[in-house]
Amino acid sequence: MTRQRAGLIVLCLAWFGVIAMFAGQGARPLWLMAGWITTTGPGLLAAIAVLGSAWAWGRPMRRWMLPTAGAADRIARGIVDCTLGLVLLQSVAVLLGTVGLLTVPAAWIVVGSGLLPLFAGPDDRPPATEDRGRPFSGWWIAAAALLAPALLAIGGPLLAADEGQYHRRFVEFILTHGSFPADAEDAPTGFAQGMHALGTLGAAIGSIGALRPLAFLMGLGGILMGERLAQRLFGRLAGGPYLLIVCGAATALRVVPTFNTDLTLAPFVGVAAWLALDWAREPGKPAGRPWALALVGGGALSIKFTAPLFLAPLYLVVAIPLLLKPVAGRGPALARLAAAAVIPLLFALPWLVKNQITAGHPLWPILGMDAPSALEAAFVFNLTANYGPGGGLEAAARAPWDLFALGREFDRRLYLGRFNAWPLVALPGLFLALRRRPEARTIAIAAALGFVLWAGPLRRAVYLLPLWPLLAALTAGGIVEMMRLIPQPALNPASVAGAILLGAVATAEAAAPWSAHADLAGVACGEQTLEEAAEEAIPDARLLRWLRENTQPDETIAMLWGWHAWDLPNRLLWIGAEDFTPLRLRIHRAGSAEGLKHELVDRDVRWIVHRDVLFLRGAYPMVSDDQFKQAFTQPLHIADEALNRYATRRFAHGPLTVWELDRK
């Protein structure tokens, strides 16, 4: 650094100090910044500590298994390190939670011991020939602007759909009891608990406010890994367009600051894609890649059961050259690949065994709800055509158009989702690029298979987020390839116009989530409490406050058509969303208002939360009129009759009421 530059830096810092000294008390921006640091900052620091611990543990793991992984890309290498370390931390936390030992002191020990390797061992310095790229450019500034409001949203209340339903209360349950919740009448307890285990590590250090920052940083890791893949597959020019494509998607921007199990899978999918490319380059020399793929797959499966839909195609593209070409060492390589595909199941064993013991089926509540055979179509849960207007070839062929061009939500009822139209626009260019880029063909095949698997049983925009960075990378490659078709004299003006168009579309797509995130500035900066913000955001907040003030933590609450629980410590029965399958099935089996009362008394229920809902016949084209009547209409009538005959209303606010059951 020259003396002139050092002097300019000192002058700038001195000027900042003058502003802070004389205008700090009355300057609104500085006051808000200080509020953000003291309010949101501790949670962010706790999340950084968890990821720092993961990186510290992952670095020696990567050196041992993958000594050449990311040799020319320090950013990709760091993400691989962090992802492998997250798998280790998650596995330790899950094992502790399984045996009831995931307490606050245990979480401190797990994270703290992971930070110790930061102070030991030689530094992993990049080689002198490493291509460091150009990290600071207009593309990065534009992407940062699109993501900036998420820094406010990470300080907001955990009121997104799954956050309010079970994420927050499950983490608080673990912090209190040291174990994972398990209740056959509380369906979300049957889902994988890996993300809750990681969230507990952060919450033990920085309170519940660490959950959103942790998920935010993991989502950013997946986005950044996609950028490295875009540059690896299509050259440095693809990195810029990728940033605006991946960040210019409304669904991604809405989800990235929330505590979720979708975009947080993106770094696992991205690292698996990177490893698959390395292995496909040397099919007969797997080295440590199978074990790294097994760890990444296991970590992802511990977070969400949808992970195999996106990871299995990556395993397949590794197997294709081994099966089709006479490669030396093919037998051992295939055996290791098969082991890498099976080992992730071991990571899922804790929650599979827990479900078997608790509810009698390892995949409960996804499967195993024992619905009447004549009404199975009306009681499906997360599978078959319930998430769409129908299956078949026509629906599958229409899926890309509906998702990218129209932004329609496939279940046509809840969870509106939207990406952008660039994947369709760039498709001709992508086909041109694939002719001469074999690595891109590998990822394109895997991404296409993943999209087809997603469009079958899931068909929900948010569930595609783990694959979105790969799709955006391929899209960026297609756009760059089409730009190469433009004659040289017109290339520069066309590039500027294209960049402006990408920015304009990204801004339009980001407008709604940008505004929603900015509304949380008061909470993130300490001007408004989480409880006040919750009362403004959802009608359930007043009801939840009434329950906290008027019920005992050991009392059981039945949720009739309700899904917001937020921080209630009580045991909750039948909480749900969407189609309320467990609740409808329970009421259908009760058969009458008197039968439902006996179900409630047998479960020691005193309080009942009821929400006014209406199931629309047109939203369920896959069921007959009689099936709809038995599985949707009748349960509503039975629940209403049971409340009117056997309960007393104690609280009402909007569509929500609290009833006290007469248990005599």
Side-chain angles (χ1 to χ4, degrees):
M1 180 183 294
T2 63
R3 292 184 178 180
Q4 183 179 6
R5 177 174 294 183
L8 291 174
I9 291 175
V10 171
L11 288 176
C12 289
L13 293 176
W15 175 244
F16 296 153
V18 170
I19 294 177
M21 183 181 299
F22 293 102
Q25 295 299 320
R28 182 72 171 168
L30 293 177
W31 192 87
L32 288 175
M33 183 180 296
W36 186 89
I37 292 173
T38 57
T39 303
T40 306
L44 182 59
L45 288 177
I48 292 173
V50 173
L51 293 179
S53 178
W55 177 77
W57 280 119
R59 185 171 56 170
M61 293 171 64
R62 190 259 310 159
R63 286 173 174 170
W64 174 58
M65 290 186 293
L66 308 164
T68 61
D73 192 326
R74 59 171 179 164
I75 297 177
R77 187 170 62 243
I79 298 173
V80 172
D81 293 346
C82 195
T83 303
L84 291 174
L86 280 173
V87 175
L88 178 62
L89 290 185
Q90 179 193 76
S91 301
V92 173
V94 167
L95 290 176
L96 290 174
T98 301
V99 297
L101 296 177
L102 188 52
T103 59
V104 173
W108 273 91
I109 293 173
V110 171
V111 176
S113 62
L115 293 174
L116 292 178
L118 288 176
F119 306 99
D123 190 14
D124 196 17
R125 296 184 182 277
T129 59
E130 181 176 12
D131 180 10
R132 298 175 182 237
R134 293 177 292 180
F136 301 106
S137 68
W139 298 106
W140 286 95
I141 294 173
L146 293 172
L147 291 169
L151 291 173
L152 300 175
I154 61 175
L158 284 83
L159 293 176
D162 290 343
E163 289 178 328
Q165 184 182 357
Y166 61 92
H167 283 324
R168 171 172 175 162
R169 66 186 178 96
F170 282 5
V171 172
E172 290 185 333
F173 182 95
I174 299 169
L175 289 172
T176 303
H177 298 88
S179 60
F180 299 116
D183 190 343
E185 306 294 350
D186 190 353
T189 63
F191 296 146
Q193 303 287 338
M195 195 63 198
H196 296 140
L198 286 175
T200 301
L201 297 181
I205 298 173
S207 78
I208 211 71
L211 296 185
R212 280 195 164 192
L214 177 62
F216 173 69
L217 293 177
M218 290 177 66
L220 286 186
I223 291 173
L224 187 56
M225 194 65 185
E227 192 269 345
R228 308 317 297 171
L229 283 166
Q231 290 202 32
R232 174 174 177 171
L233 297 175
F234 303 103
R236 182 177 293 177
L237 293 178
Y242 162 85
L243 291 171
L244 292 187
I245 293 168
V246 75
C247 295
T251 296
L253 289 177
R254 285 190 183 278
V255 172
V256 67
T258 66
F259 188 76
N260 65 90
T261 56
D262 296 294
L263 196 56
T264 51
L265 287 180
F268 295 88
V269 176
V271 169
W274 192 277
L275 297 176
L277 287 175
D278 287 348
W279 194 348
R281 184 181 294 173
E282 299 177 309
K285 300 178 181 179
R289 299 183 190 105
W291 318 127
L293 273 174
L295 291 176
V296 171
L301 186 57
S302 292
I303 291 177
K304 194 159 190 175
F305 67 92
T306 57
L309 298 180
F310 309 117
L311 293 174
L314 292 169
Y315 286 68
L316 182 60
V317 295
V318 173
I320 289 175
L322 291 172
L323 294 172
L324 299 182
K325 298 178 181 178
V327 179
R330 177 168 59 179
L334 284 172
R336 292 187 182 185
L337 180 61
V342 173
I343 288 175
L345 295 177
L346 300 177
F347 288 76
L349 276 181
W351 59 277
L352 293 176
V353 172
K354 176 175 68 71
N355 287 345
Q356 182 67 46
I357 296 173
T358 303
H361 195 288
L363 290 178
W364 178 87
I366 306 162
L367 298 172
M369 283 199 162
D370 194 25
S373 57
L375 296 174
E376 284 185 351
F379 285 111
V380 290
F381 187 76
N382 271 358
L383 293 174
T384 70
N386 198 23
Y387 279 160
L393 183 60
E394 179 184 354
R398 197 180 61 237
W401 175 260
D402 282 350
L403 177 69
F404 296 120
L406 302 181
R408 286 179 180 169
E409 180 51 42
F410 289 95
D411 65 2
R412 306 188 304 174
R413 297 190 298 278
L414 299 171
Y415 293 90
L416 297 179
R418 177 176 175 80
F419 289 100
N420 53 50
W422 290 118
L424 294 179
V425 174
L427 201 57
L430 178 60
F431 284 130
L432 293 175
L434 295 182
R435 294 185 307 169
R436 55 190 185 86
R437 296 183 181 271
E439 283 197 335
R441 285 199 297 271
T442 299
I443 297 301
I445 293 172
L449 289 174
F451 184 88
V452 170
L453 292 174
W454 164 85
L458 299 180
R459 290 188 169 194
R460 179 174 286 171
V462 70
Y463 286 168
L464 192 63
L465 285 174
L467 196 64
W468 176 236
L470 292 190
L471 295 174
L474 294 170
T475 300
I479 289 177
V480 169
E481 190 67 23
M482 288 192 293
M483 294 297 294
R484 290 195 173 100
L485 300 177
I486 300 175
Q488 188 63 36
L491 183 58
N492 286 340
S495 299
V496 173
I500 293 174
L501 182 60
L502 281 170
V505 172
T507 302
E509 294 284 351
W514 211 97
S515 176
H517 296 337
D519 289 342
L520 297 174
V523 184
C525 297
E527 287 191 310
Q528 189 180 29
T529 66
L530 293 175
E531 290 72 18
E532 291 171 345
E535 290 200 7
E536 293 181 1
I538 58 171
D540 306 62
R542 293 185 183 180
L543 176 141
L544 296 175
R545 183 176 62 184
W546 189 93
L547 289 171
R548 286 193 298 271
E549 294 173 353
N550 294 276
T551 68
Q552 298 300 317
D554 59 349
E555 292 181 321
T556 301
I557 300 175
M559 307 289 287
L560 300 189
W561 325 116
W563 59 85
H564 269 119
W566 205 26
D567 59 347
L568 285 180
N570 309 74
R571 182 193 178 202
L572 304 178
L573 304 186
W574 310 324
I575 189 170
E578 306 152 20
D579 305 314
F580 299 97
T581 302
L583 174 58
R584 289 189 296 111
L585 188 57
R586 180 64 63 188
I587 297 177
H588 174 77
R589 291 195 176 280
S592 65
E594 185 178 3
L596 179 57
K597 179 199 173 182
H598 290 315
E599 293 276 356
L600 295 169
V601 172
D602 290 344
R603 287 161 178 77
D604 196 29
V605 172
R606 178 184 178 186
W607 302 100
I608 303 170
V609 173
H610 180 270
R611 176 190 291 272
D612 293 333
V613 297
L614 178 64
F615 295 111
L616 300 177
R617 175 67 185 93
Y620 301 89
M622 76 293 297
V623 301
S624 66
D625 290 341
D626 183 62
Q627 288 174 328
F628 182 80
K629 179 181 178 180
Q630 292 188 58
F632 291 92
T633 306
Q634 287 182 357
L636 285 176
H637 293 163
I638 291 173
D640 292 342
E641 182 183 354
L643 292 178
N644 291 326
R645 290 175 57 184
Y646 304 113
T648 303
R649 188 167 63 180
R650 300 300 187 188
F651 176 85
H653 176 67
L656 298 158
T657 52
V658 177
W659 301 73
E660 185 175 5
L661 181 67
D662 180 6
R663 294 186 283 185
K664 296 180 181 179

